[in-house]
Amino acid sequence: MSEGIVRALRYTTLTEPTTRTLREESEEPEELAKQRLKRTLSTRSFISTTSSFASRMQRAALRSGLERQDLRVIGLGSCGTVFEIPGTELAFKKGTSEPSIWRDFCLTNRVHNAVKRVRRMMQKAFPNSTIPRTPLCHDYHPADDEKFWSANLQRFPADHRTKQPLFTLDQILPLPQETRMNLIEEYFDQNEQVQKEAKDDQDNKDCLVRVYLGERESVRQQSEVYETLRNFPLRLNMMEDLGLEVSELADEMAIGLAIIHWQAQVDGMDVEFVLGSSATWDSEQPEGYDNDSAPPHKVGVINFKNRAVHVWMFDFDKATRIELTRVDVNTRLVPAFLGNDPYFPRPQVDKELWDAFCGIYLKASEVILRNKGVDQRVMDLPQRFLDEVLRVSREHEEWSEQDNIVFAD
């Protein structure tokens, strides 16, 4: 069963309604929630929030490091556990496997650097699109880094005080409170007590939305309810029902995938594409303030209460670097694409969306490869990749993800 869906909520008894279709009140609150989600899930939105997360982070930021704040778990995955560092836009990611966590550190930065290098080119080529983001990984600490652990071990929750390889990275901030409340109102059980407990649940404040453009809810899924906002799966029919600009999301993901493939030269195996937010600065500064010719004046701190929504690409622990060859297209890129969760459009799900995705992917790939000055053989590889995805998809109607996932060595 997909993550985030359950047959019976932990908040309810068996005698209570457990389907999204049953509402005790009029449809007006539902329509209001949909309208708000359409606005707040747009990657063109800037949202002011007064959530407890924003207030806590803002207070910690204003303390300017005078007090060392305890860490809190905000994400769990196969590669590692992610901990919030209060008052900063940073997080720790700690794993049990040294090779996996080191690969994640290096390849995440490889993709981050690739995005940074081509962002201006991509923005010029696609002036109406926003470019997906990838966190920057800052510093890496092996399990035997005694200096780091002696200073930080006690900051971790009691059940996570183990010395394991860890790195610091930019935190993908959760979606703002308004978005979270409306997701609960729209997709969780409508029982009043269930709604209250879900909105009070601390875990639901760590809300990132997985963008599944390649999958619609099944009939069974449409009648079930959601239990958690962590890694919330937003499928294509749900986006359409909310009136989201699905084509804009597809364009951004196509640009992101082209950057991963042809600029970073990474296969993207098991990478995640999510909607999350980032803090803004009081004066919208992209860099540190350095105008020493101006008289001394207040320079604004980071503002966690004003946030921008973005598509984020992360989790590269199972990915691997590629060469620009037909062999790696066939043996790395195609299995990674088809073996991943259904983030990208699929031709059998929505042919029109697939065609639009392919058009943007090819254009972005051409811009990148022409800038690299490669020969025609390499210029043809993006089209070959898409052709192979179609061919393999048609040959294997019962495509098995388990049979085709190729993890890094």
Side-chain angles (χ1 to χ4, degrees), residues 53 89 145 153 169 190 255-256 268 279 345 357 376 396:
F53 166 85
E89 278 194 290
D145 186 345
L153 187 61
L169 74 163
Q190 296 304 300
I255 294 168
F357 173 86
Q376 190 58 46
H396 301 274

Side-chain angles (χ1 to χ4, degrees), residues 113-181:
N113 295 339
V115 171
K116 186 174 182 179
R117 286 167 188 150
V118 302
R119 178 175 294 279
R120 188 168 296 179
M121 277 194 303
M122 292 293 102
Q123 207 65 75
K124 183 178 180 180
F126 304 98
N128 296 319
S129 297
T130 59
I131 311 304
R133 296 187 172 197
T134 297
L136 170 64
C137 303
H138 297 269
D139 50 281
Y140 184 91
H141 301 278
D144 61 359
D145 186 345
E146 290 301 329
K147 183 176 180 180
F148 174 84
W149 288 112
S150 63
N152 290 284
L153 187 61
Q154 294 305 311
R155 300 177 66 193
F156 287 82
D159 53 345
H160 290 275
R161 288 176 187 164
T162 54
K163 297 178 183 179
Q164 295 171 322
L166 164 153
F167 62 86
T168 308
L169 74 163
D170 293 338
Q171 182 185 347
I172 303 173
L173 300 184
L175 290 170
Q177 182 183 41
E178 181 181 1
T179 307
R180 303 196 304 267
M181 296 302 99

Side-chain angles (χ1 to χ4, degrees), residues 44-64:
R44 302 179 190 278
S45 64
F46 288 84
I47 302 167
S48 178
T49 178
T50 57
S51 68
S52 60
F53 166 85
S55 298
R56 182 177 74 255
M57 296 292 276
Q58 195 70 24
R59 287 194 302 270
L62 291 171
R63 278 195 283 267
S64 302

Side-chain angles (χ1 to χ4, degrees), residues 230-243:
R230 281 189 174 181
N231 297 322
F232 186 85
L234 194 66
R235 296 179 172 85
L236 181 58
N237 65 293
M238 299 160 72
M239 299 181 219
E240 293 169 336
D241 186 48
L242 295 173

Side-chain angles (χ1 to χ4, degrees), residues 83 118 237 331 335 372:
F83 301 86
V118 302
N237 65 293
T331 62
K372 284 189 167 186

